[in-house]
Structure formats: C-alpha cells, structure tokens
Amino acid sequence: MASGALSVKDFLDKAKLVSYGFFGLLILFLILFFSSPYLLISKADPKKSDALVLEAIETGKKDKFKQAAALWKKGLAPVIVILHSPPNQDSDLGLVGDPTSSLQTYLVSLGVDETKILVYTVESGPQEFPKTLLKIALDRQWKTFLLIGKEYDSATLLKLYRNVLEPAGIYIAVSKVSEGIGAWDWFTKPKSLESILGRLSKHLYLILLGN
C-alpha cells in the first residue's frame, strides 16, 4: 500500500463521520422546520394590566381591534392605548379622514367607552412603538401591559417590547389573535408556508442580533 493512502477501514470511518454530520444537520433542520409555529407563539401569560395595547399600522386588522374590545369589556384593563402609524390603502379598518378620530370611532362601535381610548401617533413608524410605550408608561406610572397581536407574531412582538420595557421594570404579555393557520398542517398550504417561514427568519434574525 502506498504511503499516506487511506485504508478501506479509515475511508469507511471518515465516510461514517460525514454521514453522521449530514444527517445530524438534516434532523436539526427538520426539527426547526416543523416546530416553527411553536417558536413564534408567545408563552407569556396574559393577565390583568394597566392598559391594553393595539398597534395600528398600514395593515391594522379588525380582528385585533375586536379582541381588544372584548378584553376591555371583560375588565382586563381600564384603557386601550393605540400606537398609530399612518395607514395606507391596505388597511381593512375603513379609515376615512382623521385617523385618530376614525380609530376611536371604530372601537366605540365595538362597545368601548370613548374616554377609555388613547391614541398616540408615531410618525417615525412602528419600529418606535416600544419606545413610545415606554414613555407612556413612565409618564403615567403604568407597570403592566397586554399587547394584542397575531398568534404567529406574538413571540417576536414580545421580544421587541420586552427589550425596551423590562429594564424599566415594566411587564408586558401578548394576547394572541388566531390566524386560522394550523400548527400541524401549515406547511401544506403555500401562503401559510411562506408566511410562517418569513416570520421565522425575522425572529431568528432578532435573536442573532441579540435583540
């Protein structure tokens, strides 16, 4: 046998190690893939809070507003805070004219007392919502919030808000709005697959950034 040549045994051992590494990575990928929905769902328990929080951006959804109204009626919080970024034609809230008035009117139509609705316009965009909420909390000496968010956005939202609020001793949880996407069959539908994987990428990116 020539010097430096691999024996059959050495070759098989190396091939075995490579295959173990490949299948290990494959299994890890499959576990991450199929568990994606669970990684995106917040585990924080909603509880009675100083205020309910609604994000009203260009895709402010009626289902989130309906859930906020239902929770307010149940007494989970005395007021509803709306963090508003100017909507566009994609909004399904039917906003006409002054957005602040329209947002209040819509919640009033769902049975919420108008005096219990606080609207804060954040011109710089949704990325500043957590900092705006922190300012509100400090001004009003509030310590607990319940944010209304889509089910598969809830873990990401919680991470973004907690990074800003927790250092100030402020607790926040997310009340999850169902999206009609099954945790067991989401990958069988193209739109659900695209939606979940896109959100998973954002969530993992935030983790990698340390946010």
Side-chain angles (χ1 to χ4, degrees), residues 63 150-153 177-181 195 199:
D63 49 3
K150 293 181 183 178
E151 187 174 17
Y152 295 112
D153 286 336
V177 177
S178 176
E179 299 182 59
I181 299 176
S195 177
R199 294 190 228 186

Side-chain angles (χ1 to χ4, degrees), residues 42-199:
S42 162
K43 306 300 188 297
D45 293 327
K47 63 180 183 180
K48 193 167 184 178
S49 303
D50 292 316
L52 297 169
V53 181
L54 272 170
E55 293 187 331
I57 51 180
E58 67 274 6
T59 55
K61 295 297 182 181
K62 288 181 178 178
D63 49 3
K64 292 198 300 183
F65 278 67
K66 289 176 181 177
Q67 184 146 317
L71 294 176
W72 180 82
K73 290 176 185 177
K74 289 180 180 178
L76 248 66
V79 298
I80 297 177
V81 171
I82 300 177
L83 300 175
H84 167 250
S85 183
N88 60 27
Q89 65 272 15
D90 294 327
S91 174
D92 70 348
L93 295 176
L95 300 182
V96 178
D98 176 34
T100 298
S101 176
S102 296
L103 290 167
Q104 289 175 325
T105 299
Y106 185 67
L107 276 177
V108 169
S109 73
L110 296 173
V112 180
D113 183 341
E114 185 176 359
T115 64
K116 303 301 181 182
I117 305 168
L118 307 175
V119 183
Y120 294 83
T121 300
V122 185
E123 295 290 349
S124 53
Q127 69 276 4
E128 294 298 315
F129 282 175
K131 291 180 181 178
T132 300
L133 189 61
L134 175 61
K135 292 176 183 176
I136 296 168
L138 295 176
D139 287 344
R140 295 179 175 269
Q141 297 186 330
W142 286 342
K143 291 294 184 181
T144 54
F145 291 103
L146 182 54
L147 176 68
I148 314 300
K150 293 181 183 178
E151 187 174 17
Y152 295 112
D153 286 336
S154 58
T156 302
L157 284 171
L158 191 64
K159 192 168 188 61
L160 289 169
Y161 277 84
R162 277 189 169 175
N163 285 341
V164 175
L165 299 176
E166 276 196 341
I170 299 166
Y171 178 85
I172 187 164
V174 180
S175 176
K176 299 177 282 290
V177 177
S178 176
E179 299 182 59
I181 299 176
W184 293 100
D185 62 353
W186 60 274
F187 49 87
T188 63
K189 303 169 186 175
K191 285 187 177 179
S192 299
L193 177 65
E194 181 182 358
S195 177
I196 293 296
L197 291 183
R199 294 190 228 186

